[in-house]
């Protein structure tokens, strides 16, 4: 069952808990022009195997510049780098407030938090997790990349385990950009796992869902 929640920081869609007490939190970060509903069905699938997890999927804070029916974490169409960086940091701030409020409500610490991102949501998940003072449980990133590695490298504060997955036929975020992220993370001594799907475009294949579930199960503490 899906629940729409009004949060003072971000509007989110969540799944009803299947256990009396949630021991972990999964936050989905959707891609450019989408919304929280786009990824919550992953939670529907995973919840059968992770019954003591709380799944929530917030909308990004900004109306998408090219799709007013969806949302964006920052404007990928803008040519103004200062504007993009401002929106990125503002979205990170709002996402942080949202996550902190949810962790507090569930009486959990950051080690029990997993971020799962797709495309621009992966960019957000990587930036949040690496610049957060406290190390989270892990990041599962699909079809994404690191946005502004120079900015990110200056602000790394923690090194959670990360799993990046990508299709080799992705014409939205080319595979080369995931490989650049891989090199960046290895250079900065991040615990990294990667998977490339042959013949897969800008999407999440069924195998990717199974591997993401396995990664979270292995890294939960």
């Amino acid at each position: 069952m899906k629940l729409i929640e009004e949060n003072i920081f971000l509007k989110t869609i969540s799944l009803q808990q299947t256990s009396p007490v949630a021991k972990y939190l999964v936050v989905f970060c959707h891609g450019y022009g989408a919304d929280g509903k786009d990824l919550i069905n992953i939670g529907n699938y995973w919840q059968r195997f992770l019954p003591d997890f709380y799944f929530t999927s917030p909308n990004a804070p900004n109306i998408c510049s090219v799709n007013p029916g969806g949302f964006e974490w920052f404007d990928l169409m803008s040519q103004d780098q200062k504007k993009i960086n401002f929106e990125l940091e503002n979205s990170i701030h709002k996402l942080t407030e949202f996550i902190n409020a949810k962790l507090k409500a569930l009486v959990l610490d950051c080690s029990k938090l997993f971020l799962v991102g797709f495309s621009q949501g992966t960019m957000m998940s990587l930036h949040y997790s690496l610049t957060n003072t406290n190390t989270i449980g892990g990041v599962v990133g699909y079809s994404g990349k690191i946005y502004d590695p120079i900015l990110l490298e200056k602000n790394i504060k923690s090194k959670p385990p990360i799993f990046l997955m990508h299709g080799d036929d992705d014409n939205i975020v080319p595979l080369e950009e995931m490989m650049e992220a891989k090199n960046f993370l290895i250079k900065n001594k991040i615990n990294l796992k990667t998977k490339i799907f042959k013949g897969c475009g800008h999407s999440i294949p069924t195998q990717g869902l199974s591997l993401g579930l396995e990664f979270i199960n292995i890294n939960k503490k």
Side-chain angles (χ1 to χ4, degrees), residues 165-209:
M165 289 178 263
H166 216 103
D168 67 355
D169 198 27
D170 191 333
N171 59 5
I172 304 297
V173 180
L175 176 61
E176 289 76 18
E177 302 213 66
M178 188 274 271
M179 298 306 293
E180 289 175 6
K182 177 180 179 180
N183 292 336
F184 174 93
L185 294 169
I186 290 174
K187 172 188 172 185
N188 285 282
K189 297 180 171 57
I190 309 295
N191 178 5
L192 176 67
K193 182 177 181 180
T194 61
K195 174 67 178 179
I196 298 172
F197 301 108
K198 292 185 178 180
C200 179
H202 196 62
S203 61
I204 305 174
T206 301
Q207 185 186 9
L209 297 180

Side-chain angles (χ1 to χ4, degrees), residues 118-133:
F118 175 75
S119 194
Q120 191 182 48
T122 294
M123 302 178 211
M124 285 291 295
S125 298
L126 291 171
H127 197 95
Y128 169 90
S129 64
L130 293 173
T131 61
N132 194 45
T133 303

Side-chain angles (χ1 to χ4, degrees), residues 25-65:
L25 171 64
V26 169
V27 175
F28 295 103
C29 293
H30 65 75
Y32 183 75
D35 59 27
K37 296 189 295 295
D38 191 51
L39 297 182
I40 197 63
N41 282 331
I42 299 177
N44 277 322
Y45 168 53
W46 285 353
Q47 195 173 50
R48 290 173 289 169
F49 308 97
L50 303 170
D52 54 354
F53 277 62
Y54 188 97
F55 297 90
T56 190
S57 187
N59 291 344
N62 308 311
I63 300 296
C64 182
S65 59

Side-chain angles (χ1 to χ4, degrees), residues 57-164:
S57 187
N59 291 344
N62 308 311
I63 300 296
C64 182
S65 59
V66 298
N67 175 26
F71 299 86
E72 63 187 24
W73 299 99
F74 49 93
D75 187 1
L76 285 172
M77 300 297 108
S78 175
Q79 300 298 313
D80 186 341
Q81 193 63 45
K82 288 184 178 180
K83 176 179 182 288
I84 295 175
N85 286 345
F86 174 80
E87 290 179 349
L88 169 63
E89 293 302 326
N90 186 55
S91 287
I92 288 292
H93 178 68
K94 290 184 176 181
L95 180 63
T96 300
E97 290 183 319
F98 169 82
I99 288 173
N100 287 347
K102 186 59 66 177
L103 287 171
K104 183 177 180 180
L106 296 172
V107 195
L108 299 174
D109 61 43
C110 279
S111 68
K112 307 301 182 185
L113 167 67
F114 290 86
L115 289 189
V116 179
F118 175 75
S119 194
Q120 191 182 48
T122 294
M123 302 178 211
M124 285 291 295
S125 298
L126 291 171
H127 197 95
Y128 169 90
S129 64
L130 293 173
T131 61
N132 194 45
T133 303
N134 299 308
T135 304
I136 71 170
V139 175
V140 178
Y142 299 102
S143 304
K145 65 177 185 178
I146 288 175
Y147 182 79
D148 199 339
I150 295 175
L151 174 66
L152 180 56
E153 192 163 31
K154 293 176 182 177
N155 293 285
I156 293 176
K157 296 184 178 69
S158 62
K159 299 182 178 182
I162 293 171
F163 189 7
L164 297 181

